[in-house]
Amino acid sequence: MLREKVLPSGIGHTTNCFCQVEGVDGHEAYLVKEGSEEKLNVVSVQQLANALSQEKLNESSLIRIFWPRERCSLLRDDVVFMDSPGVDVSPNLDDWIDNHCLNADVFVLVLNAESTMTIAEKSFFHEVSQRLSKPNIFILNNRWDASANEPEFQESVKAQHTERCIDFLTKELKVSLQKEAEERNRYFEFQDFERKFEECISKSAVKTKFEQHSRGGKQIAKDMISMLDNIYDRASCLKTQKLDHRRILIERINNTDQQLAQVTREMKSKIHSMVEEVEQKVSKALNEEIWRLGVLVDEFPLPFHTDPVVLNIYKREMNSHVEQGLGSNLRARLSTAMAMNMETAQREMTEKMHSLLPSDMLNQKVSSFAVRQQPFEMFYTLNCQNLCADFQEDLEFRFSWGITAILQKISNRMKDKKGNDKTLMITRQSSQNSLPPVMSPISDQPDGANCVVPYGGSSITPEQLSLISNMMVATMGSHGTVGGIIVSGLLFKAIGWRVLVGIGVAYGCVYLYERLSYTNSAKKRRFKSQYVKHATKKLKLIVDLTSANCSHQVQQ
C-alpha cells in the first residue's frame, strides 16, 4: 500500500512493536519514537521495530512514521495505518485494544495461507467486536506462493480459507453480510482490494464503526424527547397552577393592602383623637393643680429662715417639692386612665393586624408583633427650678393700712373700673340726645350768667365737682409728705381735732399690732404667698407646652 518496503516483513515473527504511518507534507520521510521528538531516518525502523533485531522495543511501544502524502494516495485523505506486532505473541490484548484499536475504522487481518485462522486471532476480534459497535474487518490471505509446490491442494485450501473466513465474519462476529463477504472474496488482485478498501474508508467506516452507537443515540434521543415532553407537560401544568396561585396571592395581597390602609386610617384617627383628648385632660388637670398650688406649697415642711444662704436652699427645695408634687398629682389623676387607653388601643391594633394575616402564618406562630411590654408611663417635664429662678421675695414689713397701701388699692380698683367706665361712657353718649340739658340760659340773670339746675338731688355745681376730682387725683398721685399734709388739713377742718386724735391713736394701735405680729411665721406665710403668685404665673405659661409634650408621648 505504501508502494515501498518500509515496515519489517519476512519469515516468522518480524514486527516487534506498533508502527503507525501518517501522511506528511514534503518529500522526506522520518520516524519518531514514543516519548521523544527526535526525527530519525526511516531506515531505522528495520532495526527498531524488527523482532529479529538485537535492539528490541516493548511490544506496546509505538513508532510514528511520517510518510510523504505524494507517494501514497490513501495518506492524502488523512488515512493512518497502524501495524501491530501480531495478536498471537502477547497476552495483553486488552491493553492493545484500549491504547491503539478503539479509534480504528477498518481492521485488516493478514493470515498465512499455509495455516488456518487461530483461536488467538478469533479471540482478539471478538474482543474488538465487543468494544466497538460494529468493526469493519478485511481478511487477507498471503503467501499463496508457498502452495506452488502442491498445486493439487491449492483450490481446496483456498475454498477452506474462504468458507472459514466468511463464517467468521458473518456468523461469529456478525459484522458483515453473506453477500458482502462473498464479494470481498473475489478480490484476486491487490488493485481491487485497494479500491474496495478506499471505498470502505471513505463511505462506510464511520457508519460501521458508530452504527450501534448511533442506534443507541437515537434511542436515547427518543427517550430524551419523551422525557422532555413529559417534563414540558408537567411544567406547563405546574406553570398554570402557579399562575393561578399567583393570581390568588395578588388578589389576597391587594385585599390585604386595602384592609391595611383602612386599619391604618382608623388607627391614625383613633390616635389623633387620643392625642387631642390627652392634651385637653393634661391641660385641665394642670390648670386645676396650679389653682391648688397654695395647698401644695403649704405642705412644704422645711423650716423657714430669712438668712440669704438658707433662703436660697429653701427656694431650691421648694421648687423640687412643687415639681415632684405636681408630677405626682398629675400621674395619680391621669396615668392609670391613659395606660388603660393605650393598652386598649394596642390590643385593638394587634387584633386587627392578626385578622389580616393568612391562616398558614397563624398556624406557624410567626404572627408575633412588637407590643410594649411595660405599662405606659407619662413624663411631665415642669422644670420649676428654671421657671422660678427669677423669683425675688419681698419680706420687709409693710403696714396694710398705710397711706401707700391704701392709695395702691384705690389705684388698682380704678384701673379695674377703667374698662367698665369706657363702656358706660359709650352707652351714655348714645342716650344724651334724648335727655334735657342740665344748664339752660335765663335772660333775666345779670351779665348773662347761667343758672344751675340741681342734678340728682345735689347742690354741687359742676365746677366744684371738677375741682374736688382734680384735688383727689393730685393727692393720690403724690405719695410724699405734701399729700399727707393736704389730706390731714382737709380732715382736720372737716371733723375736728378730737376725732382726728382718736383716729390716730386707733391707727397707731393697729400699726403696733401688725408690727409686733410680723414674726418668722408671718414672713414664711408672706414668702409662700409671694411664691404661689409667682409660680402660678410661670406655670400657666407652660400649660400648653406641657400638654403638647404629653400628647406627643402618647402619639409616639
Side-chain angles (χ1 to χ4, degrees):
M1 297 175 74
L2 295 178
R3 299 296 188 266
E4 293 186 31
K5 187 177 181 180
V6 179
L7 301 182
S9 61
I11 301 174
H13 177 216
T14 54
T15 306
N16 184 43
C17 62
F18 283 88
C19 299
Q20 178 175 306
V21 182
E22 307 174 41
V24 66
D25 297 330
H27 304 285
E28 296 183 1
Y30 60 91
L31 64 87
V32 176
K33 293 193 298 183
E34 186 177 12
S36 174
E37 295 182 358
E38 183 182 1
K39 297 181 180 181
L40 302 177
N41 195 331
V42 176
V43 180
S44 303
V45 72
Q46 296 292 340
Q47 181 180 0
L48 294 176
N50 199 323
L52 302 177
S53 175
Q54 296 296 326
E55 183 180 357
K56 296 181 180 180
L57 297 177
N58 186 10
E59 59 191 18
S60 297
S61 300
L62 176 65
I63 294 178
R64 299 177 63 189
I65 301 171
F66 295 90
W67 196 256
R69 290 190 177 92
E70 61 183 14
R71 295 161 66 178
C72 179
S73 59
L74 289 176
L75 295 180
R76 298 171 189 169
D77 299 327
D78 295 329
V79 175
V80 177
F81 299 111
M82 177 75 73
D83 185 19
S84 68
V87 297
D88 55 350
V89 298
S90 175
N92 299 324
L93 296 181
D94 291 337
D95 294 340
W96 285 12
I97 296 173
D98 292 336
N99 296 331
H100 304 288
C101 301
L102 291 181
N103 292 327
D105 296 313
V106 177
F107 291 88
V108 180
L109 174 59
V110 181
L111 295 179
N112 189 352
E114 296 177 327
S115 63
T116 187
M117 187 180 300
T118 63
I119 299 298
E121 293 167 343
K122 289 184 177 182
S123 298
F124 175 79
F125 280 100
H126 277 294
E127 290 288 338
V128 171
S129 179
Q130 292 178 2
R131 299 292 182 88
L132 301 179
S133 59
K134 189 177 181 181
N136 201 344
I137 302 174
F138 283 87
I139 300 177
L140 297 184
N141 288 276
N142 67 347
R143 302 186 61 80
W144 284 105
D145 52 345
S147 62
N149 298 327
E150 300 177 359
E152 65 275 9
F153 300 108
Q154 188 174 10
E155 294 298 328
S156 300
V157 172
K158 184 182 295 186
Q160 184 186 56
H161 288 338
T162 301
E163 180 181 1
R164 290 183 178 180
C165 290
I166 292 175
D167 290 342
F168 177 66
L169 294 177
T170 57
K171 297 179 180 181
E172 293 188 34
L173 296 182
K174 298 180 181 180
V175 296
S176 178
L177 299 177
Q178 184 75 21
K179 181 179 180 181
E180 183 180 359
E182 290 177 353
E183 288 180 354
R184 293 186 179 183
N185 186 44
R186 298 190 183 115
Y187 302 147
F188 299 108
E189 296 183 357
F190 186 73
Q191 288 79 8
D192 295 334
F193 164 74
E194 278 190 316
R195 182 181 56 80
K196 191 65 177 177
F197 181 82
E198 184 175 358
E199 180 183 349
C200 182
I201 285 288
S202 59
K203 293 183 179 180
S204 62
V206 175
K207 178 181 178 181
T208 56
K209 181 179 180 181
F210 297 107
E211 184 177 2
Q212 185 175 353
H213 294 299
S214 299
R215 287 197 300 268
K218 288 181 180 179
Q219 187 62 39
I220 292 174
K222 291 180 180 179
D223 296 340
M224 183 67 71
I225 291 173
S226 176
M227 182 176 64
L228 291 177
D229 290 339
N230 187 15
I231 293 175
Y232 178 78
D233 294 338
R234 290 166 55 193
S236 299
C237 181
L238 184 61
K239 179 182 177 182
T240 303
Q241 295 177 359
K242 293 299 181 182
L243 289 176
D244 294 339
H245 184 61
R246 178 176 178 270
R247 179 179 52 79
I248 295 173
L249 289 179
I250 291 176
E251 293 178 356
R252 183 187 301 176
I253 289 173
N254 293 333
N255 188 21
T256 304
D257 287 340
Q258 295 176 1
Q259 295 179 4
L260 183 60
Q262 179 66 23
V263 170
T264 303
R265 287 192 296 268
E266 293 177 359
M267 296 313 301
K268 283 185 177 181
S269 177
K270 186 176 185 63
I271 292 172
H272 182 70
S273 301
M274 288 181 60
V275 167
E276 291 183 347
E277 182 181 0
V278 167
E279 188 170 358
Q280 294 175 1
K281 287 184 177 180
V282 172
S283 178
K284 180 180 178 181
L286 186 56
N287 281 319
E288 292 178 357
E289 291 299 323
I290 292 174
W291 182 73
R292 297 176 59 253
L293 186 61
V295 178
L296 183 62
V297 172
D298 290 339
E299 295 175 353
F300 183 60
L302 197 66
F304 180 80
H305 198 277
T306 57
D307 183 78
V309 178
V310 179
L311 194 58
N312 288 332
I313 298 175
Y314 188 85
K315 287 192 290 185
R316 185 166 60 252
E317 295 299 328
M318 176 75 78
N319 292 330
S320 301
H321 173 75
V322 170
E323 183 173 349
Q324 293 176 2
L326 288 176
S328 177
N329 294 339
L330 289 175
R331 282 191 290 271
R333 296 181 60 176
L334 300 175
S335 295
T336 303
M338 288 184 182
M340 293 180 62
N341 291 337
M342 290 284 293
E343 292 178 0
T344 304
Q346 288 181 349
R347 191 181 309 111
E348 180 181 356
M349 187 183 300
T350 305
E351 291 174 355
K352 288 185 177 181
M353 291 300 297
H354 273 284
S355 64
L356 297 180
L357 290 175
S359 58
D360 53 353
M361 292 186 65
L362 293 176
N363 295 332
Q364 295 175 4
K365 297 181 179 180
V366 295
S367 58
S368 59
F369 293 97
V371 182
R372 182 188 297 271
Q373 301 298 328
Q374 297 180 353
F376 175 75
E377 183 178 359
M378 187 81 73
F379 295 98
Y380 304 95
T381 306
L382 301 176
N383 200 0
C384 291
Q385 293 288 352
N386 292 334
L387 285 176
C388 299
D390 59 343
F391 170 64
Q392 296 295 330
E393 69 282 353
D394 184 10
L395 301 180
E396 294 182 2
F397 174 73
R398 299 194 182 277
F399 184 40
S400 60
W401 291 98
I403 296 176
T404 304
I406 293 174
L407 293 177
Q408 184 67 33
K409 291 179 181 179
I410 294 174
S411 177
N412 291 336
R413 285 194 176 184
M414 291 182 67
K415 290 180 180 178
D416 293 336
K417 291 182 178 180
K418 194 173 183 180
N420 297 330
D421 293 341
K422 290 182 178 179
T423 305
L424 291 174
M425 287 175 64
I426 295 173
T427 306
R428 287 175 181 174
Q429 279 183 355
S430 62
S431 61
Q432 277 181 357
N433 295 328
S434 62
L435 294 178
V438 176
M439 298 175 60
S440 59
I442 300 176
S443 59
D444 57 352
Q445 293 297 326
D447 299 329
N450 293 331
C451 181
V452 178
V453 179
Y455 179 75
S458 176
S459 61
I460 301 175
T461 62
E463 290 82 357
Q464 293 175 341
L465 182 61
S466 176
L467 179 60
I468 294 173
S469 300
N470 293 332
M471 183 181 296
M472 290 295 294
V473 172
T475 302
M476 289 186 293
S478 61
H479 294 169
T481 306
V482 179
I485 293 173
I486 294 173
V487 173
S488 299
L490 292 174
L491 291 175
F492 181 79
K493 183 178 180 181
I495 62 178
W497 64 273
R498 290 185 179 89
V499 179
L500 185 61
V501 170
I503 294 173
V505 172
Y507 186 81
C509 291
V510 174
Y511 175 82
L512 182 62
Y513 171 77
E514 287 192 7
R515 187 70 181 84
L516 293 176
S517 62
Y518 192 61
T519 60
N520 190 62
S521 297
K523 293 179 180 180
K524 179 180 179 180
R525 289 193 299 271
R526 187 172 182 179
F527 174 86
K528 289 186 176 180
S529 176
Q530 294 176 1
Y531 179 83
V532 168
K533 291 180 181 180
H534 183 82
T536 300
K537 180 180 178 182
K538 293 293 185 180
L539 288 173
K540 285 184 177 180
L541 297 177
I542 65 167
V543 170
D544 294 337
L545 179 62
T546 304
S547 58
N549 183 26
C550 294
S551 63
H552 181 69
Q553 294 180 38
V554 173
Q555 183 176 6
Q556 291 299 106

